[in-house]
């Protein structure tokens, strides 16, 4: 199973993290992002959106970090990381949307501006961060994991760009519940870090 | 099953549309968006993000239109609208992320500016629209539905804000494959419209 990968991408890291937690070996294919290789073959043929990560598992080709988490969790994680009953599946799904929407356009985009110089609207990324992080902190005030009382791909999808928020100038000081949740994720058996989350 | 609803919201419409297609009755609870009732009880207690729609099904409370589609499809749609095998589930999931990310921050946000006067970055919404719509059109050039050769919640999640794009000043002229896909969705048995999609 090949992951077209960028070490500094939180979206690629999500996949590497879940694979490590479920003990699944991945063949990493490094893609030179700064050289624009994600916009050229072979990546653009695997993912027409020209985004990383992309996954190739025999004839199965998938784009989008959340979709790849879903695939690995269903194929190799049993019901543990992504249950298939309507309510728990939908509970996890809520956070996959939050990861693709508010977490991406908040702390993740803020980091793209500060760390990679992308010409995005920084004030907008800070407003979105100031919207979602307090809500996340309050959600975690009464629970250890985002849903179902155990780690699921909801946690894996949301974790990277929250943990990396300081790299976009978004402080996590004062978010005590988020910080404890980050520590719990880092304590999971098999956990691997990425640059910026240590 | 109660849907906290706004007639003019494409995200609420997704849920009404899937319910109509699978023959599921919904009790609609209209929420006065312009009066800010989505930021007050009872909606804010059901969805701390203060967004519509929210779903209440007995003790089950869900936010996020994609998550609600997942719930209804799994609970009432069998495997037809959302399969549970790893590959087809992940294929559909790719488009739920696209709906929450590029479609939301492209045509949906463009419409929020033009139709509701929200102070978003209009040029950014147009750039995102110009990125995702040609890709969607090319994807649909060789297939009738987004994935699996049949209508799934991928189509239902992406359809509303694409069909409503002209209300945000985003023309669909020239996207022949998108327009034929829109026509196919409108021809589905049980299809219901919303203002702007007729």
């Amino acid at each position: 199973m090949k992951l077209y990968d960028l070490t500094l991408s939180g979206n690629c890291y999500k996949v590497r993290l879940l694979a490590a937690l479920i003990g699944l070996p991945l063949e990493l294919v490094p893609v030179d992002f700064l050289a624009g290789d994600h916009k050229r073959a072979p990546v653009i043929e695997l993912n027409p959106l020209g985004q990383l990560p992309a996954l190739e598992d025999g004839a199965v080709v998938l784009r989008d970090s959340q979709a790849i988490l879903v695939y690995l969790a269903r194929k190799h994680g049993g019901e543990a990381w992504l249950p298939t009953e309507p309510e728990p599946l939908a509970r996890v799904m809520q956070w996959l949307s939050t990861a693709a929407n508010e977490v991406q356009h908040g702390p993740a985009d803020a980091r793209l501006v500060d760390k990679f110089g992308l010409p995005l609207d920084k004030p907008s990324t800070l407003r979105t961060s100031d919207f979602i992080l307090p809500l996340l902190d309050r959600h975690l005030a009464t629970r250890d994991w985002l849903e179902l009382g155990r780690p699921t791909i909801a946690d894996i999808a949301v974790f990277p760009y929250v943990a990396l928020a300081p790299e976009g100038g978004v402080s996590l000081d004062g978010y005590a519940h988020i910080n404890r949740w980050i520590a719990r994720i880092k304590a999971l058996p098999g956990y691997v870090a990425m640059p910026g989350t240590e």
Side-chain angles (χ1 to χ4, degrees), chain A:
Chain A
M1 195 173 305
K2 281 188 193 170
L3 183 72
Y4 291 81
D5 183 54
L6 173 68
T7 303
L8 293 180
S9 159
N11 282 324
C12 295
Y13 169 57
K14 286 175 200 179
V15 180
R16 297 195 302 268
L17 176 54
L18 179 66
L21 293 171
I22 63 180
L24 178 73
L26 281 180
E27 180 187 342
L28 300 183
V29 183
V31 177
D32 190 339
F33 182 79
L34 293 178
D37 283 356
H38 54 302
K39 303 287 185 194
R40 284 194 281 270
V43 178
I44 199 76
E45 286 159 6
L46 299 170
N47 178 4
L49 275 65
Q51 297 165 345
L52 296 172
L55 186 83
E56 199 176 8
D57 182 21
V60 177
V61 173
L62 293 168
R63 63 173 176 87
D64 181 64
S65 56
Q66 275 69 244
I68 295 171
L69 291 181
V70 163
Y71 180 72
L72 297 188
R74 287 295 303 126
K75 188 160 182 204
H76 299 282
E79 293 278 316
W81 292 89
L82 183 67
T84 51
E85 285 298 303
E87 184 189 351
L89 176 60
R91 292 209 166 282
V92 171
M93 182 63 218
Q94 296 177 119
W95 295 99
L96 302 188
S97 285
T98 302
N101 187 344
E102 289 86 359
V103 176
Q104 182 64 51
H105 292 278
D109 279 358
R111 177 174 173 268
L112 284 178
V113 176
D114 280 17
K115 199 170 171 73
F116 298 97
L118 264 69
L120 303 171
D121 178 2
K122 184 77 195 281
S124 165
T125 69
L126 297 178
R127 280 194 303 274
T128 302
S129 300
D130 288 346
F131 168 72
I132 197 63
L133 292 175
L135 288 166
L136 183 63
D137 197 61
R138 208 170 318 142
H139 182 79
L140 288 164
T142 53
R143 37 180 88 71
D144 284 352
W145 306 100
L146 288 180
E147 295 293 341
L148 314 186
R150 66 175 192 265
T152 66
I153 62 169
D155 301 280
I156 306 305
V158 172
F159 164 72
Y161 286 116
V162 171
L164 294 167
E167 292 196 343
V170 176
S171 171
L172 294 177
D173 295 349
Y175 294 124
H177 306 297
I178 288 178
N179 283 308
R180 280 198 282 270
W181 169 73
I182 288 174
R184 274 191 290 275
I185 291 175
K186 291 184 177 183
L188 287 172
Y191 174 83
V192 292
M194 72 167 271
T197 70
E198 296 93 342

